[in-house]
Amino acid sequence: MPEQLDIIQYFDFVQTRASKKKLIDFFNKAEFNIEEVFYTQEILKMLQKNPDVVNSFKVAEGNLLRINTLLNEADAAKYNYLNKFFYKEYIDEINFSIDIYINFFNYFNSVLRNLNFLDMCPDYAEIIRENMEFISSLNIDNFHNKSSGIKKIKKILGDIERNVKNEGYKKFWNFFYVFDMYISISKGIALNELIFPSFNSDNHFFIDEFKNLKLKSSVINSLKLTNSNMVIFTGANMSGKSTTMKSISTIIYLAHLGLAVPANYCNIPFYDRIFLFFTVSDNIEAGYSYFTQELLNLKSVLIDLKEKTSFVVFDEIFKGTNINDSSKITVKIIKSLSKYNTSLFILSTHLNVIEQQITDCEKVKVLNLESFFKDNELTFTYKIKNGWSKLEIGEILFEKYGLNNLL
């Protein structure tokens, strides 16, 4: 996951450390596959239709740790009448662990049985059925060790040893932790009232009434592109350019993970790669300056564009060099990138001097975040408006913060 987005927190309701690792791995993607996206959507849509199961699902990691210890140490040969007499504490510990083992698998089997998954997600439904069959094969229905003799306990321990050997549990635990991850994401979708996006092959881009997940009272904006693949955000500092670009990027990223998004409606093209450059740092060890790193970032994008479609964001592109160099190469980049019709590029800039040089670029859409003076105060509405921002506030803020007096 691009660290600038920091969105995993809104979907992090996992109940085990192993599930948390699955969640982190799930969000750490740079390349995307449309079939995987639709598969994930189907699973999450199915869970959204099972809110009772999602909201009631609960496991204790301590119990799972005890179960895994039991699986690693199970030895039916040691569970006998002699040890029951001479090693009572050991036998009691085994009995307690088996009771937790039985209760867990009975509980999780009931969770899966209560899911309404038929005809919703066929591929995942088959995986659910396979795991229900595995649990059934454990032969623990209506079994409680407190009322069972030593032979039945030995039988369960023997079954555990067999399933450990044939790696039956390994496959189950992988399913379980991913299931917990999906439950966690589903809770985030419901809590944040997100909607599932759709994809098109017509390069039609429309996100209606989108918001920022981080802001409780987020300003609502919309973005519609019909014949543009390059968006340039202009505007004064503090007007909300970066926040708006991050809001759009979050939606694109979540959509490409197969998740629902913070918008009223979302229909977008599918991109193979996502590049987000909101922060750029020099690399002292490699001897790269800030500007060099900007060029290397651009190079990585251009290489990928030869074979893949991409969604790319440059926040304040080429601010690591002087205004003359920056203006020249920014115009060159805008005109060159706009030729990649199936990709989308979003950038922000303060370079008002380039406005006249890109008026002939039909694929470029220039926007600004509205700001103006009202009652001698600078006002930001954070609303997207068409056209180039003409407001320059550097000297005004210089005076506002008393720097003229200090000088």
Side-chain angles (χ1 to χ4, degrees):
M1 176 187 66
E3 62 181 14
Q4 303 94 333
L5 297 184
D6 190 27
I7 51 178
I8 194 172
Q9 60 183 300
Y10 302 101
F11 303 92
D12 185 6
F13 301 93
V14 293
Q15 301 182 58
T16 76
R17 282 171 288 181
S19 306
K20 181 63 172 284
K21 185 178 185 306
K22 296 286 187 184
L23 185 69
I24 293 172
D25 290 344
F26 177 82
F27 272 85
N28 283 337
K29 292 181 182 178
E31 295 191 36
F32 306 92
N33 178 284
I34 190 68
E35 286 78 18
E36 291 180 3
V37 169
F38 288 145
Y39 177 68
T40 301
Q41 275 195 3
E42 286 184 354
I43 295 172
L44 294 174
K45 286 178 180 179
M46 178 268 290
L47 291 175
Q48 289 296 295
K49 293 181 179 180
N50 287 271
D52 291 342
V53 173
V54 170
N55 294 327
S56 63
F57 179 68
K58 188 174 182 179
V59 293
E61 183 163 29
N63 288 343
L64 300 185
L65 291 173
R66 181 177 283 273
I67 291 170
N68 276 286
T69 298
L70 173 67
L71 301 185
N72 292 327
E73 299 178 357
D75 188 345
K78 290 183 180 180
Y79 194 93
N80 51 52
Y81 287 104
L82 186 63
N83 284 339
K84 188 174 183 180
F85 181 77
F86 288 104
Y87 299 100
K88 185 177 183 301
E89 289 186 4
Y90 166 75
I91 297 298
D92 288 345
E93 185 74 13
I94 292 294
N95 287 344
F96 184 59
S97 295
I98 287 180
D99 196 39
I100 292 174
Y101 167 87
I102 292 168
N103 289 336
F104 165 74
F105 278 104
N106 277 331
Y107 164 72
F108 190 60
N109 196 36
S110 69
V111 169
L112 298 182
R113 282 200 309 267
N114 289 331
L115 274 176
N116 178 20
F117 57 82
L118 296 177
D119 301 322
M120 289 188 186
C121 186
D123 292 337
Y124 195 64
E126 182 59 31
I127 295 175
I128 292 175
R129 281 190 284 265
E130 288 176 0
N131 281 275
M132 292 175 67
E133 289 175 4
F134 170 75
I135 295 174
S136 296
S137 73
L138 302 179
N139 299 313
I140 56 175
D141 288 346
N142 302 316
F143 179 90
H144 296 283
N145 64 358
K146 292 178 182 178
S147 60
S148 303
I150 195 167
K151 289 184 178 179
K152 289 186 176 180
I153 300 293
K154 286 177 68 69
K155 174 66 169 56
I156 282 196
L157 289 172
D159 289 341
I160 289 175
E161 290 181 81
R162 185 185 71 256
N163 280 308
V164 168
K165 188 174 182 179
N166 64 26
E167 297 191 337
Y169 292 111
K170 183 178 180 179
K171 187 176 181 180
F172 168 80
W173 287 123
N174 183 66
F175 165 78
F176 174 80
Y177 294 128
V178 173
F179 181 84
D180 185 29
M181 179 196 78
Y182 284 136
I183 290 285
S184 174
I185 293 172
S186 187
K187 288 179 179 178
I189 290 173
L191 183 64
N192 293 286
E193 300 180 332
L194 309 183
I195 61 99
F196 284 96
S198 57
F199 297 92
N200 66 77
S201 57
D202 303 323
N203 287 327
H204 174 76
F205 188 101
F206 184 29
I207 307 176
D208 186 45
E209 297 188 0
F210 65 84
K211 60 184 178 181
N212 190 296
L213 279 175
K214 293 185 177 182
L215 303 177
K216 291 183 179 179
S217 56
S218 175
V219 172
I220 303 300
N221 274 303
S222 299
L223 180 61
K224 187 173 185 178
L225 306 172
T226 54
N227 192 36
S228 304
N229 71 327
M230 170 74 67
V231 178
I232 301 177
F233 276 102
T234 66
N237 285 326
M238 303 185 297
S239 63
K241 296 188 302 297
S242 296
T243 299
T244 300
M245 293 163 66
K246 285 182 180 180
S247 298
I248 296 169
S249 300
T250 294
I251 289 172
I252 301 302
Y253 194 75
L254 291 177
H256 282 69
L257 289 175
L259 275 60
V261 302
N264 184 54
Y265 173 81
C266 179
N267 186 289
I268 56 176
F270 182 83
Y271 307 106
D272 300 315
R273 290 291 305 271
I274 293 177
F275 294 92
L276 305 179
F277 301 112
F278 285 99
T279 57
V280 178
S281 301
D282 53 10
N283 190 326
I284 298 176
E285 294 180 356
Y288 297 150
S289 67
Y290 184 100
F291 181 58
T292 301
Q293 190 59 56
E294 284 188 299
L295 295 177
L296 291 174
N297 291 341
L298 176 61
K299 183 178 180 179
S300 66
V301 172
L302 293 173
I303 291 173
D304 256 51
L305 285 174
K306 292 180 179 180
E307 297 180 351
K308 299 173 182 176
T309 61
S310 297
F311 173 83
V312 188
V313 174
F314 293 104
D315 192 12
E316 294 194 34
I317 191 170
F318 300 135
K319 65 179 181 181
T321 187
N322 66 75
I323 189 171
N324 291 327
D325 279 345
S326 181
S327 297
K328 290 177 182 177
I329 58 179
T330 297
V331 170
K332 181 183 291 186
I333 289 302
I334 289 172
K335 291 185 176 182
S336 297
L337 292 181
S338 63
K339 297 176 183 177
Y340 292 92
N341 295 321
T342 56
S343 293
L344 178 61
F345 309 93
I346 299 180
L347 61 89
S348 65
T349 183
H350 289 288
L351 299 173
N352 291 347
V353 295
I354 72 172
E355 179 182 1
Q356 297 304 316
Q357 300 177 60
I358 61 172
T359 54
D360 61 337
C361 298
E362 297 179 354
K363 297 288 186 179
V364 175
K365 187 176 185 66
V366 179
L367 303 171
N368 71 84
L369 275 298
E370 185 180 41
S371 55
F372 52 84
F373 280 101
K374 184 177 182 180
D375 299 328
N376 206 32
E377 288 289 332
L378 184 60
T379 300
F380 301 108
T381 68
Y382 308 110
K383 297 294 292 185
I384 296 176
K385 300 294 181 179
N386 288 317
W388 208 283
S389 172
K390 303 298 182 180
L391 187 64
E392 297 181 353
I393 64 171
E395 288 193 21
I396 298 167
L397 292 177
F398 198 85
E399 171 65 26
K400 179 178 179 179
Y401 289 108
L403 295 179
N404 281 329
N405 291 334
L406 290 172
L407 288 173

